[in-house]
Amino acid sequence: GVEEDISLDTFPPPIPETPALLPESLDYEAVENDVFRAEHYHHTIGRKFYGYTGLTVAKYVLTLLIGAVTGCLAFLMQSCVKYGMEVKLSGTEWIMSSFGLAWGFAAHASVSVALVLCAACLVQFWAPEAAGGGVTLVMAYLNGIYIPNLLSLRALVAKVVGTSCGLLASLAIGPEGPMVHIGAAVAAVMTTPFLTNSFANDLRMSSSPEFRKRAPPRWHSSRLLVNLLCDLDQREFISAGAGAGIAAAFGAPIGGVLFALEEASSYWSHKVSWRCFLAAAMAVFVLSTLNSSNDYTSTGMVSLRGLKAPSRTNWVIQLPFFFLMAALAGMVGAVFNILHGWLARLRAPKTNNVARLAEAVVICVVSVGLMFTLPVVFPSCRDTPEEWPVEELEKYGVSFLCPEGKYNEVATLFLAFPEDTIRLLLMTGEQKDGEFAEHFTRKSLCVHAFGYMLLSSLACGAAFPGGLFMPSIMLGSSFGGLVGACLIKWLPTWHIQPGIYSLIGATAVLGGVFRSSISLVVIVMEGTGGIEFVFTIIVAIAVSNWVASHIHHPGIYEGDLERDNRLGYLNQQAPRAFLSVTAEDIMTTPSVGFHPVEKASTVIQVLRSNRHNGFPVYDHDQQVLTESGDVVVRRGQLLGLILRSQLLVLLKHHAFVFQGGGENGNATPHEFHTEIREEESTGTGRTFSSGMGPAPVRRAISSTSMTSGINQVGSAFDKHPRDPPSARELSLDTEMRTFHHLWDVQSRHKLAHPDVLANFDPGQYPEQGPAMMDLTRFMNRPVMTVRKDCSASRVYTIFRALGLRHMCVVDTDHHPVGMITRLNLMHIPEDGNLH
């Protein structure tokens, strides 16, 4: 007898935890098979809501919800960190005034170490993907690289809690980079688990025999939501989430969209830009609304507002100094990247838990120790002003053993809330009541600039979450304020405003570290809230990018991607070595594939023997006479591509067809095709034209030559490609498209494990002949192909631009000769020697 379908709860069977063989690619290319085309041909979704379909409205609602949740998380982190730092500093100062400096340091260091250990343990033992800023991994994911658990709920929680703990520990890190990861994770979590949990039962039930007896309206509603679970739509939501994260960090919705376009996403379209804009705008709106209810005037987590633009005359006179300031800050950014790369080689291995935790504790102790030592070595007490430039700064300043009514400049720069320090640095030099407003001396700014650069270099890359945007802004603001203060001393009559130089320094260091251009210009412009600074910002970005690229070529994100051997990130430009080679030189050959109707035993054997994800489907083999007189067998023309997950679904549901028990009961797939073609030529069967594929053929089948088991789908040979799909075919196709999300979206690499097929025995139908699998209705028809003599550089460009996972290489007669995947486009030596 024929066994029933294997339950989705037990298939695939439990697979042991094994590391993913990265780089594993995502399926950004939509599968367009006969079932998909026939369904859309026979049923057009009506526009029910003001000209929009239900699916479109659902996507808009989800996009707005992603932005709203991201804004709420940004407000939660900002409020907790600000309140926690106030409590921590007030407690430290009370202990120092009551028991002395040593006890104050011990208390501050103990709390900081506990917070860092909490963050490091979350990363090291619970969610390793939450380490660092996360921007590089989000970039890799949107580039088409599957990274297990990167956007899981666990990673989201660890990122939010770990970043907050790191900031409360007074580490030289920022929340802006993690906000990109948080926004992307919010998008993934909101569009996957809740939908999966709500509709998993319907999708499982759709595979049961009872489903086929019911009317399709309920199925149609779930088909709409199935589209939200594919990698293609997930990419759009994750891009929107990343843009919303950076927008909430700076209060810059347009800047968030441009950052997602310039840095995060490898694929862009009008639809993605509109979705990013909605999410970014909603995130900024929610955060600014919550801030206003909490007496904050900032629209983002970092505010650059409060700076007054110089007059046009002063701007023109000081323009050479602006260029010089941008060049010096660009050099600082390049040096920071060099130091970061050098320290990355010295860090503890990520698999050594004890060493990673010890490294985090040492960095924390060194950071706190330096923050307490420098104010003692370079003491500088200044009278606390009766009124700070901004109302929110009324509690600003750290006394640090200074007399009452005074604040220690160096201690304030290191220990105060970073956002307040940045705002005050940008306001340095403004005239107030006829007096020059100076909050920090040149010595204090110099100590802070060099000390903060060292601390941020140490913290970046350790086993806790944290970004580099805020440290870069802090470093540039301090360095720019130092240059501006020196110019005031040397040119007292030039109306120098150090805050302008702080703005140029912050922008230029950002450009030197990240090498972005347009997005940084807009982010800083929106952060300052004034269009009058736009040309100054453009000068800073352009000059710093040019200077930094000549000192250290890659930006910090590109450098991290190059150092991470797990990833196969494809840059915008193809390697120069690809200009002199062709697709034939880099392809994998021979490619493993199947006939349209293949023995189940052959499919299982192929799946067990290799880890490939895609397999070309080609027509019947051909016998070709060579010039030497030998007869060789050549594969037929390429018909399509079938994925591993699709084959597993067909095997899981025993979607087999059987050759009748005659003399050809054990016919091979080639003989099976031959018999069908003979029936067509003699007119013994019904004929249908496929009308699809690169080489249309007329196929027929005898009305008595096929028998089916209980789980038979029906052969595609007896169906016109535009015939309405059956409920069974729709069920199988839907499970194929949602297979990863309904099983385990974070462990799809386990599908290549040999134990996945441990429960399959293809030899269980002796009375009906060998079980055959008909792939015709489910294979992807419009598979991307290139000629074997196509330039490898063009192959690279097409592969990246379309977000492909597989590219078939064919000869002049459209016969498959090889396959190109991401692995074929990686690690090509610059000398072009591929051998």
Side-chain angles (χ1 to χ4, degrees), residues 421-436:
T421 300
I422 291 172
R423 295 188 68 180
L424 198 60
L425 287 170
L426 295 177
M427 296 177 183
T428 301
E430 292 187 9
Q431 300 291 335
K432 188 172 184 179
D433 299 330
E435 297 183 359
F436 182 77

mmCIF file with all atom_site columns, all heavy atoms in Angstrom, residues 421-436:
data_model
loop_
_atom_site.group_PDB
_atom_site.id
_atom_site.type_symbol
_atom_site.label_atom_id
_atom_site.label_alt_id
_atom_site.label_comp_id
_atom_site.label_asym_id
_atom_site.label_entity_id
_atom_site.label_seq_id
_atom_site.pdbx_PDB_ins_code
_atom_site.Cartn_x
_atom_site.Cartn_y
_atom_site.Cartn_z
_atom_site.occupancy
_atom_site.B_iso_or_equiv
_atom_site.pdbx_formal_charge
_atom_site.auth_seq_id
_atom_site.auth_comp_id
_atom_site.auth_asym_id
_atom_site.auth_atom_id
_atom_site.pdbx_PDB_model_num
ATOM 1   N N   . THR A 1 421 ? 26.711 65.961 25.218 1.00 0.00 ? 421 THR A N   1
ATOM 2   C CA  . THR A 1 421 ? 28.064 66.456 24.949 1.00 0.00 ? 421 THR A CA  1
ATOM 3   C C   . THR A 1 421 ? 28.211 66.885 23.497 1.00 0.00 ? 421 THR A C   1
ATOM 4   O O   . THR A 1 421 ? 28.818 67.933 23.204 1.00 0.00 ? 421 THR A O   1
ATOM 5   C CB  . THR A 1 421 ? 29.090 65.359 25.291 1.00 0.00 ? 421 THR A CB  1
ATOM 6   O OG1 . THR A 1 421 ? 28.978 65.009 26.673 1.00 0.00 ? 421 THR A OG1 1
ATOM 7   C CG2 . THR A 1 421 ? 30.508 65.846 25.021 1.00 0.00 ? 421 THR A CG2 1
ATOM 8   N N   . ILE A 1 422 ? 27.671 66.101 22.574 1.00 0.00 ? 422 ILE A N   1
ATOM 9   C CA  . ILE A 1 422 ? 27.757 66.451 21.148 1.00 0.00 ? 422 ILE A CA  1
ATOM 10  C C   . ILE A 1 422 ? 27.027 67.764 20.884 1.00 0.00 ? 422 ILE A C   1
ATOM 11  O O   . ILE A 1 422 ? 27.535 68.649 20.169 1.00 0.00 ? 422 ILE A O   1
ATOM 12  C CB  . ILE A 1 422 ? 27.184 65.312 20.295 1.00 0.00 ? 422 ILE A CB  1
ATOM 13  C CG1 . ILE A 1 422 ? 28.095 64.081 20.361 1.00 0.00 ? 422 ILE A CG1 1
ATOM 14  C CG2 . ILE A 1 422 ? 27.019 65.764 18.846 1.00 0.00 ? 422 ILE A CG2 1
ATOM 15  C CD1 . ILE A 1 422 ? 27.515 62.858 19.697 1.00 0.00 ? 422 ILE A CD1 1
ATOM 16  N N   . ARG A 1 423 ? 25.843 67.940 21.468 1.00 0.00 ? 423 ARG A N   1
ATOM 17  C CA  . ARG A 1 423 ? 25.092 69.179 21.262 1.00 0.00 ? 423 ARG A CA  1
ATOM 18  C C   . ARG A 1 423 ? 25.860 70.379 21.807 1.00 0.00 ? 423 ARG A C   1
ATOM 19  O O   . ARG A 1 423 ? 25.871 71.458 21.188 1.00 0.00 ? 423 ARG A O   1
ATOM 20  C CB  . ARG A 1 423 ? 23.724 69.091 21.935 1.00 0.00 ? 423 ARG A CB  1
ATOM 21  C CG  . ARG A 1 423 ? 22.809 68.040 21.339 1.00 0.00 ? 423 ARG A CG  1
ATOM 22  C CD  . ARG A 1 423 ? 21.417 68.133 21.898 1.00 0.00 ? 423 ARG A CD  1
ATOM 23  N NE  . ARG A 1 423 ? 20.751 69.352 21.475 1.00 0.00 ? 423 ARG A NE  1
ATOM 24  C CZ  . ARG A 1 423 ? 19.503 69.673 21.838 1.00 0.00 ? 423 ARG A CZ  1
ATOM 25  N NH1 . ARG A 1 423 ? 18.802 68.846 22.611 1.00 0.00 ? 423 ARG A NH1 1
ATOM 26  N NH2 . ARG A 1 423 ? 18.950 70.789 21.416 1.00 0.00 ? 423 ARG A NH2 1
ATOM 27  N N   . LEU A 1 424 ? 26.489 70.212 22.945 1.00 0.00 ? 424 LEU A N   1
ATOM 28  C CA  . LEU A 1 424 ? 27.235 71.318 23.536 1.00 0.00 ? 424 LEU A CA  1
ATOM 29  C C   . LEU A 1 424 ? 28.474 71.655 22.719 1.00 0.00 ? 424 LEU A C   1
ATOM 30  O O   . LEU A 1 424 ? 28.833 72.828 22.561 1.00 0.00 ? 424 LEU A O   1
ATOM 31  C CB  . LEU A 1 424 ? 27.629 70.974 24.972 1.00 0.00 ? 424 LEU A CB  1
ATOM 32  C CG  . LEU A 1 424 ? 28.024 72.154 25.868 1.00 0.00 ? 424 LEU A CG  1
ATOM 33  C CD1 . LEU A 1 424 ? 26.866 73.140 25.976 1.00 0.00 ? 424 LEU A CD1 1
ATOM 34  C CD2 . LEU A 1 424 ? 28.454 71.665 27.237 1.00 0.00 ? 424 LEU A CD2 1
ATOM 35  N N   . LEU A 1 425 ? 29.148 70.631 22.169 1.00 0.00 ? 425 LEU A N   1
ATOM 36  C CA  . LEU A 1 425 ? 30.310 70.888 21.315 1.00 0.00 ? 425 LEU A CA  1
ATOM 37  C C   . LEU A 1 425 ? 29.904 71.662 20.059 1.00 0.00 ? 425 LEU A C   1
ATOM 38  O O   . LEU A 1 425 ? 30.651 72.532 19.588 1.00 0.00 ? 425 LEU A O   1
ATOM 39  C CB  . LEU A 1 425 ? 30.978 69.569 20.935 1.00 0.00 ? 425 LEU A CB  1
ATOM 40  C CG  . LEU A 1 425 ? 31.771 68.865 22.039 1.00 0.00 ? 425 LEU A CG  1
ATOM 41  C CD1 . LEU A 1 425 ? 32.174 67.463 21.603 1.00 0.00 ? 425 LEU A CD1 1
ATOM 42  C CD2 . LEU A 1 425 ? 33.004 69.676 22.412 1.00 0.00 ? 425 LEU A CD2 1
ATOM 43  N N   . LEU A 1 426 ? 28.752 71.354 19.511 1.00 0.00 ? 426 LEU A N   1
ATOM 44  C CA  . LEU A 1 426 ? 28.290 72.064 18.322 1.00 0.00 ? 426 LEU A CA  1
ATOM 45  C C   . LEU A 1 426 ? 27.905 73.506 18.634 1.00 0.00 ? 426 LEU A C   1
ATOM 46  O O   . LEU A 1 426 ? 27.888 74.357 17.726 1.00 0.00 ? 426 LEU A O   1
ATOM 47  C CB  . LEU A 1 426 ? 27.102 71.329 17.702 1.00 0.00 ? 426 LEU A CB  1
ATOM 48  C CG  . LEU A 1 426 ? 27.378 69.938 17.130 1.00 0.00 ? 426 LEU A CG  1
ATOM 49  C CD1 . LEU A 1 426 ? 26.095 69.310 16.611 1.00 0.00 ? 426 LEU A CD1 1
ATOM 50  C CD2 . LEU A 1 426 ? 28.405 69.996 16.020 1.00 0.00 ? 426 LEU A CD2 1
ATOM 51  N N   . MET A 1 427 ? 27.583 73.793 19.874 1.00 0.00 ? 427 MET A N   1
ATOM 52  C CA  . MET A 1 427 ? 27.208 75.157 20.253 1.00 0.00 ? 427 MET A CA  1
ATOM 53  C C   . MET A 1 427 ? 28.388 75.974 20.762 1.00 0.00 ? 427 MET A C   1
ATOM 54  O O   . MET A 1 427 ? 28.224 77.142 21.121 1.00 0.00 ? 427 MET A O   1
ATOM 55  C CB  . MET A 1 427 ? 26.128 75.106 21.344 1.00 0.00 ? 427 MET A CB  1
ATOM 56  C CG  . MET A 1 427 ? 24.833 74.485 20.885 1.00 0.00 ? 427 MET A CG  1
ATOM 57  S SD  . MET A 1 427 ? 23.644 74.371 22.227 1.00 0.00 ? 427 MET A SD  1
ATOM 58  C CE  . MET A 1 427 ? 22.300 73.534 21.407 1.00 0.00 ? 427 MET A CE  1
ATOM 59  N N   . THR A 1 428 ? 29.560 75.401 20.822 1.00 0.00 ? 428 THR A N   1
ATOM 60  C CA  . THR A 1 428 ? 30.724 76.102 21.340 1.00 0.00 ? 428 THR A CA  1
ATOM 61  C C   . THR A 1 428 ? 31.066 77.290 20.448 1.00 0.00 ? 428 THR A C   1
ATOM 62  O O   . THR A 1 428 ? 31.152 77.161 19.230 1.00 0.00 ? 428 THR A O   1
ATOM 63  C CB  . THR A 1 428 ? 31.935 75.159 21.417 1.00 0.00 ? 428 THR A CB  1
ATOM 64  O OG1 . THR A 1 428 ? 31.612 74.061 22.262 1.00 0.00 ? 428 THR A OG1 1
ATOM 65  C CG2 . THR A 1 428 ? 33.146 75.890 21.972 1.00 0.00 ? 428 THR A CG2 1
ATOM 66  N N   . GLY A 1 429 ? 31.273 78.460 21.090 1.00 0.00 ? 429 GLY A N   1
ATOM 67  C CA  . GLY A 1 429 ? 31.686 79.642 20.342 1.00 0.00 ? 429 GLY A CA  1
ATOM 68  C C   . GLY A 1 429 ? 30.571 80.596 20.036 1.00 0.00 ? 429 GLY A C   1
ATOM 69  O O   . GLY A 1 429 ? 30.812 81.652 19.451 1.00 0.00 ? 429 GLY A O   1
ATOM 70  N N   . GLU A 1 430 ? 29.323 80.272 20.393 1.00 0.00 ? 430 GLU A N   1
ATOM 71  C CA  . GLU A 1 430 ? 28.245 81.202 20.129 1.00 0.00 ? 430 GLU A CA  1
ATOM 72  C C   . GLU A 1 430 ? 28.325 82.404 21.072 1.00 0.00 ? 430 GLU A C   1
ATOM 73  O O   . GLU A 1 430 ? 28.702 82.279 22.235 1.00 0.00 ? 430 GLU A O   1
ATOM 74  C CB  . GLU A 1 430 ? 26.885 80.503 20.297 1.00 0.00 ? 430 GLU A CB  1
ATOM 75  C CG  . GLU A 1 430 ? 26.608 79.457 19.236 1.00 0.00 ? 430 GLU A CG  1
ATOM 76  C CD  . GLU A 1 430 ? 25.202 78.921 19.339 1.00 0.00 ? 430 GLU A CD  1
ATOM 77  O OE1 . GLU A 1 430 ? 24.428 79.498 20.119 1.00 0.00 ? 430 GLU A OE1 1
ATOM 78  O OE2 . GLU A 1 430 ? 24.890 77.944 18.654 1.00 0.00 ? 430 GLU A OE2 1
ATOM 79  N N   . GLN A 1 431 ? 27.970 83.552 20.571 1.00 0.00 ? 431 GLN A N   1
ATOM 80  C CA  . GLN A 1 431 ? 27.956 84.769 21.376 1.00 0.00 ? 431 GLN A CA  1
ATOM 81  C C   . GLN A 1 431 ? 26.673 84.807 22.201 1.00 0.00 ? 431 GLN A C   1
ATOM 82  O O   . GLN A 1 431 ? 25.577 84.620 21.686 1.00 0.00 ? 431 GLN A O   1
ATOM 83  C CB  . GLN A 1 431 ? 28.019 85.994 20.464 1.00 0.00 ? 431 GLN A CB  1
ATOM 84  C CG  . GLN A 1 431 ? 29.254 86.068 19.606 1.00 0.00 ? 431 GLN A CG  1
ATOM 85  C CD  . GLN A 1 431 ? 30.511 86.329 20.402 1.00 0.00 ? 431 GLN A CD  1
ATOM 86  O OE1 . GLN A 1 431 ? 30.455 86.896 21.492 1.00 0.00 ? 431 GLN A OE1 1
ATOM 87  N NE2 . GLN A 1 431 ? 31.648 85.900 19.870 1.00 0.00 ? 431 GLN A NE2 1
ATOM 88  N N   . LYS A 1 432 ? 26.817 85.034 23.476 1.00 0.00 ? 432 LYS A N   1
ATOM 89  C CA  . LYS A 1 432 ? 25.651 85.129 24.361 1.00 0.00 ? 432 LYS A CA  1
ATOM 90  C C   . LYS A 1 432 ? 25.848 86.307 25.311 1.00 0.00 ? 432 LYS A C   1
ATOM 91  O O   . LYS A 1 432 ? 26.812 86.324 26.095 1.00 0.00 ? 432 LYS A O   1
ATOM 92  C CB  . LYS A 1 432 ? 25.473 83.832 25.150 1.00 0.00 ? 432 LYS A CB  1
ATOM 93  C CG  . LYS A 1 432 ? 24.164 83.801 25.937 1.00 0.00 ? 432 LYS A CG  1
ATOM 94  C CD  . LYS A 1 432 ? 23.928 82.445 26.551 1.00 0.00 ? 432 LYS A CD  1
ATOM 95  C CE  . LYS A 1 432 ? 22.595 82.403 27.248 1.00 0.00 ? 432 LYS A CE  1
ATOM 96  N NZ  . LYS A 1 432 ? 22.321 81.090 27.852 1.00 0.00 ? 432 LYS A NZ  1
ATOM 97  N N   . ASP A 1 433 ? 24.950 87.288 25.216 1.00 0.00 ? 433 ASP A N   1
ATOM 98  C CA  . ASP A 1 433 ? 25.034 88.501 26.028 1.00 0.00 ? 433 ASP A CA  1
ATOM 99  C C   . ASP A 1 433 ? 26.373 89.205 25.838 1.00 0.00 ? 433 ASP A C   1
ATOM 100 O O   . ASP A 1 433 ? 26.967 89.744 26.776 1.00 0.00 ? 433 ASP A O   1
ATOM 101 C CB  . ASP A 1 433 ? 24.834 88.165 27.523 1.00 0.00 ? 433 ASP A CB  1
ATOM 102 C CG  . ASP A 1 433 ? 23.471 87.547 27.779 1.00 0.00 ? 433 ASP A CG  1
ATOM 103 O OD1 . ASP A 1 433 ? 22.526 87.873 27.037 1.00 0.00 ? 433 ASP A OD1 1
ATOM 104 O OD2 . ASP A 1 433 ? 23.359 86.741 28.721 1.00 0.00 ? 433 ASP A OD2 1
ATOM 105 N N   . GLY A 1 434 ? 26.870 89.170 24.599 1.00 0.00 ? 434 GLY A N   1
ATOM 106 C CA  . GLY A 1 434 ? 28.100 89.877 24.278 1.00 0.00 ? 434 GLY A CA  1
ATOM 107 C C   . GLY A 1 434 ? 29.353 89.161 24.698 1.00 0.00 ? 434 GLY A C   1
ATOM 108 O O   . GLY A 1 434 ? 30.459 89.675 24.503 1.00 0.00 ? 434 GLY A O   1
ATOM 109 N N   . GLU A 1 435 ? 29.236 87.975 25.287 1.00 0.00 ? 435 GLU A N   1
ATOM 110 C CA  . GLU A 1 435 ? 30.413 87.235 25.732 1.00 0.00 ? 435 GLU A CA  1
ATOM 111 C C   . GLU A 1 435 ? 30.566 85.969 24.891 1.00 0.00 ? 435 GLU A C   1
ATOM 112 O O   . GLU A 1 435 ? 29.596 85.391 24.429 1.00 0.00 ? 435 GLU A O   1
ATOM 113 C CB  . GLU A 1 435 ? 30.291 86.874 27.219 1.00 0.00 ? 435 GLU A CB  1
ATOM 114 C CG  . GLU A 1 435 ? 30.242 88.088 28.141 1.00 0.00 ? 435 GLU A CG  1
ATOM 115 C CD  . GLU A 1 435 ? 30.203 87.671 29.589 1.00 0.00 ? 435 GLU A CD  1
ATOM 116 O OE1 . GLU A 1 435 ? 30.194 86.441 29.852 1.00 0.00 ? 435 GLU A OE1 1
ATOM 117 O OE2 . GLU A 1 435 ? 30.150 88.564 30.468 1.00 0.00 ? 435 GLU A OE2 1
ATOM 118 N N   . PHE A 1 436 ? 31.815 85.568 24.759 1.00 0.00 ? 436 PHE A N   1
ATOM 119 C CA  . PHE A 1 436 ? 32.124 84.363 23.983 1.00 0.00 ? 436 PHE A CA  1
ATOM 120 C C   . PHE A 1 436 ? 31.875 83.133 24.843 1.00 0.00 ? 436 PHE A C   1
ATOM 121 O O   . PHE A 1 436 ? 32.401 83.021 25.959 1.00 0.00 ? 436 PHE A O   1
ATOM 122 C CB  . PHE A 1 436 ? 33.589 84.426 23.535 1.00 0.00 ? 436 PHE A CB  1
ATOM 123 C CG  . PHE A 1 436 ? 33.993 83.265 22.685 1.00 0.00 ? 436 PHE A CG  1
ATOM 124 C CD1 . PHE A 1 436 ? 33.620 83.199 21.357 1.00 0.00 ? 436 PHE A CD1 1
ATOM 125 C CD2 . PHE A 1 436 ? 34.742 82.226 23.217 1.00 0.00 ? 436 PHE A CD2 1
ATOM 126 C CE1 . PHE A 1 436 ? 33.993 82.139 20.565 1.00 0.00 ? 436 PHE A CE1 1
ATOM 127 C CE2 . PHE A 1 436 ? 35.119 81.151 22.434 1.00 0.00 ? 436 PHE A CE2 1
ATOM 128 C CZ  . PHE A 1 436 ? 34.741 81.115 21.111 1.00 0.00 ? 436 PHE A CZ  1
#
